[in-house]
């Protein structure tokens, strides 16, 4: 419908304040918001309703209206019940950004405006869509938590015949009816789709991003709706935009960085890192819902490229093998404290393959969506609650080691810190390069010219602890051929592979290449 149709609704009594020459614009939806910058939740061509709760001063009007203009909304309808007027700065901002502005009478509720407009937009489905919008308004106002998203999806499925699910980038179903398609397959398609929305014919669904413009795909949620969006009427496409906006609100609400729980997690991580006494840490573990008598693993993660710290924190929380772990941020690094209730451990420590393997597997599934970014993770040994500081230090050292590697996703366990790999990671890059070049470049050049496969022979020889026979068997060569190649390696490099020192040098050079 066009904006001028709003003036023909006598029950609304809307008045044009500015933008009377723009009343041929089309509106396809109605959104109520009191956010200062609501652009991320808008899809364009909406009539936006606001009570100006976001306004603390004249400058806020420019920020708010600019966000509307950039999102492509059709018009704004407003009224400040507290002051009984529309501020001049809001009128001026709407005029500058060419956003038509309507005055809503004091005695007309925004819900009434929404219901009347939706009735004209959707005809017989007005009541259904109004219920969705009402849920949206309640989410915006902070009146609905947790179960709200599921209720909206139930309504859409029951009354409008649209089966929809909301999933994370790891394929975990956040909300939706029973019988969801394979979450892992949907997540792979979401992470690798060249553009969104994306119709996944194999699963019979279309995938929509939740916060595409503000969030990396690996940290985002997505909506999967049954059917091909290319065949849908405009009404149904508009509804999926609204569903994505509702999912974005729920996602933001479940991001606990600003909640009491999130602040407690942040404080706990900082206390552990600052070497606070156990008497300070243990009570806070209990406040965070953790058992001070349990065993724990610390996990440290850092992003490379475009992945922001807040997104990294969300990703780390998502891939942990326990629900809602304690996760905090230290500058650019995310730290998680993961309870391992029944894991055996001793004073000497023991390996914890489950946490590292779970994190590695989950992050590997996210790798296609990193788009030039990367994630480096370190995992500590299992410790008691009183040894958390050491576990966090161990995880951070392991993370630094992982950051020196080129894999998009690299997870380093604590047990790698006791090997030569840790020493190599601390050597400056120019020294590492020089060491590698001096030892291996003569062999590489010889291989390029003569196709002699000296590098592979050297590596196999060292892997078999200098055994001529095993090396020959693995390379499918005669022992004399292996002996000839090893002699050629020694001649080219001036090293003696019978000496332990020279073998160690070659081994380290190969690990650096």
């Amino acid at each position: 419908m066009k904006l001028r149709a709003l003036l023909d609704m006598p029950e609304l009594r809307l008045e044009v304040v500015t933008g009377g020459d723009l009343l041929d614009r089309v509106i396809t939806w109605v959104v109520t918001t009191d956010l200062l910058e609501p652009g991320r939740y808008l899809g364009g061509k909406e009539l936006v309703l606001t009570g100006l709760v976001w306004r603390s001063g004249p400058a806020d009007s420019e920020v708010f209206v600019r966000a509307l203009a950039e999102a492509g909304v059709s018009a704004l309808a407003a009224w400040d019940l507290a002051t009984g007027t529309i501020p001049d700065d809001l009128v001026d901002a709407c005029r500058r950004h060419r956003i038509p502005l309507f005055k809503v009478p004091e005695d007309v509720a925004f819900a009434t405006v929404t219901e009347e407009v939706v009735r004209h937009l959707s005809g017989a489905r007005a009541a259904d869509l109004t219920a969705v919008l009402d849920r949206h308004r309640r989410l915006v106002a902070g009146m609905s938590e947790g179960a709200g998203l599921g209720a909206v999806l139930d309504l859409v499925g029951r009354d409008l015949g649209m089966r929809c699910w909301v999933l994370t980038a790891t394929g975990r179903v956040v909300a939706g009816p029973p019988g969801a398609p394979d979450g892992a397959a949907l997540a792979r398609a979401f992470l690798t789709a060249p553009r969104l929305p994306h119709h996944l014919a194999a699963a019979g669904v279309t995938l929509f991003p939740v916060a595409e413009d503000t969030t990396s795909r690996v940290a985002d949620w997505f909506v999967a709706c049954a059917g091909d969006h290319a065949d849908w009427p405009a009404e149904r496409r508009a509804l999926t935009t609204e569903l994505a906006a509702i999912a974005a609100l729920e996602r933001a609400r479940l991001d606990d960085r600003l909640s009491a729980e999130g602040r407690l997690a942040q404080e706990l991580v900082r206390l552990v890192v600052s070497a606070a006494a156990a008497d300070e840490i243990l009570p806070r573990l209990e406040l965070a819902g953790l058992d001070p008598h349990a065993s724990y693993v610390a996990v440290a993660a850092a992003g490379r490229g475009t992945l922001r710290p807040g997104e990294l924190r969300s990703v780390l929380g998502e891939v942990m093998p326990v629900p809602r772990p304690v996760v905090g941020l230290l500058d650019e690094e995310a730290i998680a404290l993961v309870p391992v209730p029944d894991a055996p451990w001793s004073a000497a420590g023991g390996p914890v393959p489950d946490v590292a393997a779970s994190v590695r597997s989950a992050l590997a599934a996210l790798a296609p969506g990193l788009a030039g970014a990367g994630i480096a993770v370190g995992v500590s040994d299992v410790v008691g609650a009183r040894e958390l500081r050491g576990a966090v230090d161990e995880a951070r050292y392991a993370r630094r080691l992982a950051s020196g590697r080129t894999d998009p996703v690299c997870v380093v366990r604590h047990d790698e810190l006791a090997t030569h790999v840790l020493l190599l990671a601390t050597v400056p890059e120019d020294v590492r390069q020089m060491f590698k070049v001096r030892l291996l470049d003569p062999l590489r050049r010889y291989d390029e010219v003569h196709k002699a496969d000296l590098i592979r022979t050297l590596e196999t020889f060292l892997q078999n602890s200098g055994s001529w026979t095993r090396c020959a068997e693995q390379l499918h060569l005669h022992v004399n051929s292996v002996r000839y190649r090893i002699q050629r390696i020694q001649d080219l490099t001036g090293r003696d592979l019978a000496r332990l020192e020279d073998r160690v040098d070659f081994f380290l050079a190969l690990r650096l290449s």
Side-chain angles (χ1 to χ4, degrees), residues 29-35 38 41-42 46-51 64 77 110-111 113-114 133-134 136-141 242 249:
W29 210 248
V30 186
V31 174
T32 301
T33 183
D34 281 314
L35 299 175
Y41 306 123
L42 300 171
E46 296 96 338
L47 170 65
V48 173
L49 306 177
T50 182
F64 179 79
F110 283 175
V113 177
T114 298
L133 286 171
D134 180 65
H136 190 185
R137 289 197 303 276
R138 292 176 61 193
L139 284 168
V140 172
E242 186 70 12
L249 288 169

Side-chain angles (χ1 to χ4, degrees), residues 140-209:
V140 172
M143 296 172 61
S144 172
E145 296 195 17
L149 186 57
V152 170
L153 295 178
D154 287 345
L155 170 68
V156 170
R158 183 181 66 251
D159 295 343
L160 303 183
M162 287 181 64
R163 286 171 55 81
C164 301
W165 299 266
V166 176
L167 301 94
T168 69
T170 62
R172 177 175 64 88
V173 177
V174 177
D182 179 15
L186 296 187
R188 282 194 300 272
F190 169 68
L191 291 170
T192 57
R195 65 184 61 179
L196 296 167
H198 172 69
H199 177 230
L200 183 61
V205 298
T206 298
L207 310 179
F208 299 85

Side-chain angles (χ1 to χ4, degrees), residues 118-130 159-160 235:
V118 168
R119 183 173 293 116
H120 282 74
L121 287 172
S122 306
R125 294 185 176 183
D128 301 327
L129 299 183
T130 300
D159 295 343
L160 303 183
E235 177 188 288

Side-chain angles (χ1 to χ4, degrees), residues 205-284:
V205 298
T206 298
L207 310 179
F208 299 85
V210 165
E212 184 176 31
D213 294 335
T214 59
T215 308
S216 299
R217 284 195 192 181
V218 293
D220 201 2
W221 289 1
F222 65 96
V223 180
C225 292
D228 184 351
H229 70 297
D231 300 330
W232 295 349
E235 177 188 288
R236 178 166 291 206
R237 289 197 294 270
L239 180 58
T240 56
T241 299
E242 186 70 12
L243 283 176
I246 293 173
L249 288 169
E250 192 78 346
R251 175 182 168 276
R253 193 176 301 282
L254 292 178
D255 184 349
D256 65 356
R257 278 176 289 175
L258 300 180
S259 68
E261 182 184 18
R263 290 194 296 271
L264 181 61
Q266 184 72 19
E267 180 186 4
L268 177 57
V269 169
R270 290 195 178 279
L271 273 176
V272 170
V273 172
S274 65
D279 292 342
E280 291 185 73
I281 294 174
L282 297 183
R284 285 177 170 80

Side-chain angles (χ1 to χ4, degrees), residues 6 13 25 47 159-160 189 230-231 296 306 325 332 335 414 420 431 443 453 493:
L6 297 173
R13 307 194 314 278
R25 285 186 177 179
L47 170 65
D159 295 343
L160 303 183
D231 300 330
Y296 289 87
T306 59
E332 302 294 311
I335 306 293
H414 62 92
H420 64 279
V431 176
L443 307 184
D453 220 6
T493 61

